[in-house]
Amino acid sequence: KFGSSAETLQYIGQIHYQKREYEKALRVFEEKTEKFGSSAETLQYIGQIHYQKREYEKALRVFEEKTEKFGSSAETLQYIGQIHYQKREYEKALRVFEEKIEKFGSSAEGLQYIGQIHYQNREYEKALRVFEEKTRELGTSAETMHYIAASLYLLGRLVDAVDKYKETITRYPRNIQSYNGLYNCLKKQKKYKEAIETALLAADKMRKKLARQDVSFLRDATYMACNPIYGLNDFEASNALLAVFKKSDFDGKEDLLKMITEKIAEQQRLFNNKLK
């Protein structure tokens, strides 16, 4: 009745974006650009759509166009940094995040990525300092606490790492990667019984669809519980972990189930023969 306006099309595009209807949102933003010309807000959303679709080169071109036409913003620099991070171009990402801090001040998201870049570069002392700075200035998160614990572990500070993993799990009881990290710390300290207890706690909180790292974590714990090398012979724990595999979904499930079942049965036979 009244025709479209730039403002109306912007709102329609944003609604589709919020509903994760990225193709619809893109068409609306492109229509708005065609009818009314580009704007900083529209280009930002178009870049974010490509980012969400993992079309990183397209997203980068859009964000660079926005910067050239309308100047940089904290939000745009954050996305450009994240694109370089996703492409494992860590030095480029670091320069962008540092530029963002210089121009717009520090942010939780920016510091998180800077810490992760140092972590990926195996600069664990630097990573630890950044994550601790983020915690002091801007508060913490499950992800930050996990990275602090993981950095401590890789620096050989096992006691501190165990304490931080336990603190993380207490605050964020569904953070499975921290159970995994705690399990590895305890295993390295040869606290095998406590490691298995950690795996059982984690298994109770895992989703039905297991990620690859979850499968690897549970498989290792299942073998350790029944392996005489570790002195546990805890077949009850092994079978409890096996039950998690049976009710879960993951790639290669049938082959792995067969392998684990045979391994537990073999160790059970060997254990029973020793008792005779």
Side-chain angles (χ1 to χ4, degrees):
K1 188 175 180 179
F2 299 102
S4 61
S5 68
E7 187 177 26
T8 300
L9 288 172
Q10 183 68 35
Y11 276 118
I12 292 171
Q14 288 175 206
I15 289 167
H16 287 306
Y17 181 86
Q18 295 300 330
K19 293 169 71 178
R20 300 187 182 183
E21 298 170 347
Y22 297 129
E23 292 302 327
K24 288 182 180 179
L26 188 59
R27 286 196 295 271
V28 173
F29 288 129
E30 287 174 343
E31 180 188 346
K32 183 197 170 201
T33 301
E34 187 179 329
K35 287 183 176 179
F36 302 100
S38 62
S39 70
E41 192 175 23
T42 301
L43 286 173
Q44 182 67 37
Y45 272 100
I46 291 173
Q48 288 175 203
I49 288 166
H50 290 305
Y51 180 87
Q52 296 298 338
K53 294 170 66 181
R54 300 187 181 183
E55 298 171 345
Y56 297 129
E57 290 300 332
K58 286 183 180 179
L60 192 57
R61 285 197 296 271
V62 174
F63 288 130
E64 286 173 347
E65 179 188 348
K66 176 184 179 257
T67 301
E68 187 179 329
K69 288 182 176 178
F70 302 101
S72 64
S73 69
E75 189 176 28
T76 301
L77 287 172
Q78 182 67 37
Y79 272 102
I80 291 172
Q82 288 175 202
I83 288 166
H84 288 306
Y85 182 87
Q86 295 298 334
K87 294 170 70 181
R88 300 187 180 184
E89 298 170 347
Y90 297 131
E91 293 310 313
K92 287 183 180 179
L94 187 59
R95 286 197 296 273
V96 173
F97 289 125
E98 287 174 344
E99 179 188 347
K100 181 193 169 195
I101 288 173
E102 187 179 330
K103 287 183 175 178
F104 302 101
S106 62
S107 69
E109 203 172 19
L111 286 174
Q112 182 67 36
Y113 272 97
I114 290 173
Q116 288 176 205
I117 288 166
H118 288 310
Y119 184 89
Q120 295 298 337
N121 286 335
R122 301 183 180 184
E123 299 167 340
Y124 303 121
E125 287 285 2
K126 287 183 179 179
L128 188 59
R129 285 198 296 272
V130 172
F131 290 129
E132 288 176 340
E133 177 189 347
K134 175 182 179 263
T135 300
R136 280 194 311 273
E137 294 185 4
L138 301 160
T140 194
S141 67
E143 190 174 30
T144 301
M145 291 182 74
H146 171 77
Y147 271 106
I148 289 173
S151 298
L152 290 167
Y153 171 77
L154 291 164
L155 287 167
R157 294 169 57 182
L158 293 181
V159 174
D160 291 334
V162 166
D163 288 344
K164 182 55 69 173
Y165 277 128
K166 286 181 177 180
E167 182 187 349
T168 307
I169 289 166
T170 300
R171 276 197 181 199
Y172 305 99
R174 302 203 75 83
N175 188 263
I176 302 302
Q177 62 179 348
S178 290
Y179 287 94
N180 194 345
L182 178 58
Y183 169 85
N184 288 329
C185 280
L186 294 168
K187 186 177 177 182
K188 196 158 190 174
Q189 290 179 313
K190 299 184 178 180
K191 296 179 178 179
Y192 303 128
K193 190 174 187 302
E194 195 175 344
I196 294 300
E197 289 169 356
T198 300
L200 288 166
L201 283 173
D204 187 52
K205 292 171 174 59
M206 286 182 177
R207 297 176 180 176
K208 186 176 180 183
K209 178 68 176 176
L210 295 181
R212 184 182 300 174
Q213 62 267 26
D214 298 336
V215 173
S216 178
F217 167 27
L218 291 181
R219 181 182 61 210
D220 188 84
T222 305
Y223 288 159
M224 187 170 82
C226 67
N227 193 324
I229 291 173
Y230 300 103
L232 296 175
N233 299 314
D234 192 343
F235 297 102
E236 184 179 346
S238 285
N239 284 307
L241 292 167
L242 177 62
V244 175
F245 280 120
K246 286 180 178 178
K247 69 180 182 182
S248 302
D249 296 326
F250 55 92
D251 295 334
K253 176 176 178 176
E254 295 307 316
D255 289 341
L256 185 59
L257 272 179
K258 182 181 177 185
M259 190 188 309
I260 293 174
T261 303
E262 289 175 353
K263 184 75 172 177
I264 293 173
E266 178 190 355
Q267 293 299 337
Q268 183 78 67
R269 280 195 302 273
L270 291 171
F271 180 71
N272 290 340
N273 287 338
K274 283 184 179 180
L275 295 178
K276 291 179 181 179

